[in-house]
Amino acid sequence: MNEGLIPRRYAKALYKVALERHQDARMFDLMQNLAQSFDLNHQLQDIVANPFVELSEKTKLLTTAAGANAQDSTFADFLKLLAENRRVPLVHQIALSYIDIYRRANNIRRVQVVSAAPLDPAVEKRIKDLVTAHLNGGSMDFSATVDPDLIGGFVVNIDNERLDASLRNELKEMRLSLLNN
């Protein structure tokens, strides 16, 4: 079966259960923490996929990575289900699918701004205001990073949309224009 289909199905089921228990927002936070832990520590995937690591150790590790506590019964039930069905190695993909499902259900758009230098707070506010107007009522999950290779300007990514107002892009377009003439 398709590796993308299985995580998506588990994520949908988890979302439905979390929604029924009014824990969907908390589960979203936990899944974001878990996904970030996998992104920051690439060995985590090797550990959860290793058949020689005890299941109880994997569960403890994933609970810690997600920042879950004793009150997060839905998360504990989720890990138990994954263990019973031998799907623990898919937990990272399931977390990413859950995040996507939650964002779509709650009209949350992922906005990433990459600039050549750290953004001035006034400029950041202006960009956020422009993006908010563009979203027509949706909310955003905003992040800003610095990439000196842009030389100047910024790039705004809104889900699959991209606005490239960087000096690097302008120079590239100028070069292409000169080559085509």
Side-chain angles (χ1 to χ4, degrees), residues 107-120:
N107 198 19
I108 301 171
R109 307 286 296 275
R110 186 169 189 202
V111 178
Q112 181 184 27
V113 176
V114 182
S115 59
L119 293 175
D120 179 74

Side-chain angles (χ1 to χ4, degrees), residues 103-155:
R103 281 188 177 140
R104 286 184 189 189
N106 292 282
N107 198 19
I108 301 171
R109 307 286 296 275
R110 186 169 189 202
V111 178
Q112 181 184 27
V113 176
V114 182
S115 59
L119 293 175
D120 179 74
V123 172
E124 184 175 314
K125 183 184 179 328
R126 177 137 166 85
I127 290 172
K128 283 181 179 180
D129 291 343
L130 289 170
V131 170
T132 300
H134 176 72
L135 295 180
N136 293 326
S139 61
M140 71 175 116
D141 183 6
F142 185 87
S143 66
T145 57
V146 175
D147 180 3
D149 291 340
L150 293 180
I151 304 170
F154 59 89
V155 177

Side-chain angles (χ1 to χ4, degrees), residues 5 9 17 25 36 39 47 72 77 103 106 117 122 125 127 137 173:
L5 185 60
R9 287 182 177 170
V17 169
Q36 186 178 34
D39 291 343
I47 294 168
D72 294 316
D77 293 344
R103 281 188 177 140
N106 292 282
K125 183 184 179 328
I127 290 172
E173 287 184 16

Side-chain angles (χ1 to χ4, degrees), residues 22-177:
H22 305 289
Q23 295 179 355
D24 53 316
R26 173 65 177 155
M27 192 59 60
F28 176 67
D29 293 339
L30 295 174
M31 290 295 129
Q32 283 188 305
N33 293 343
L34 191 59
Q36 186 178 34
S37 293
F38 273 95
D39 291 343
L40 295 175
N41 187 351
H42 299 290
Q43 294 175 334
L44 190 54
Q45 184 62 45
D46 295 336
I47 294 168
V48 297
N50 189 335
F52 298 108
V53 176
E54 291 291 325
L55 201 51
S56 61
E57 291 300 315
K58 292 177 186 180
T59 301
K60 287 179 193 173
L61 181 64
L62 292 171
T63 301
T64 302
N69 57 44
Q71 287 79 30
D72 294 316
S73 60
T74 303
F75 186 77
D77 293 344
F78 164 66
L79 290 181
K80 184 178 176 184
L81 178 69
L82 291 183
E84 288 171 0
N85 294 330
R86 300 176 190 209
R87 300 292 191 194
V88 173
L90 298 177
V91 71
H92 183 215
Q93 293 89 350
I94 295 168
L96 294 173
S97 291
Y98 183 92
I99 292 166
D100 183 49
I101 290 167
Y102 184 87
R103 281 188 177 140
R104 286 184 189 189
N106 292 282
N107 198 19
I108 301 171
R109 307 286 296 275
R110 186 169 189 202
V111 178
Q112 181 184 27
V113 176
V114 182
S115 59
L119 293 175
D120 179 74
V123 172
E124 184 175 314
K125 183 184 179 328
R126 177 137 166 85
I127 290 172
K128 283 181 179 180
D129 291 343
L130 289 170
V131 170
T132 300
H134 176 72
L135 295 180
N136 293 326
S139 61
M140 71 175 116
D141 183 6
F142 185 87
S143 66
T145 57
V146 175
D147 180 3
D149 291 340
L150 293 180
I151 304 170
F154 59 89
V155 177
V156 178
N157 295 304
I158 304 172
D159 290 336
N160 294 328
E161 297 177 57
R162 181 182 190 112
L163 167 66
D164 193 338
S166 66
L167 188 54
R168 177 178 66 185
N169 187 54
E170 293 293 326
L171 291 172
K172 178 181 160 188
E173 287 184 16
M174 189 182 305
R175 183 177 64 87
L176 288 173
S177 175

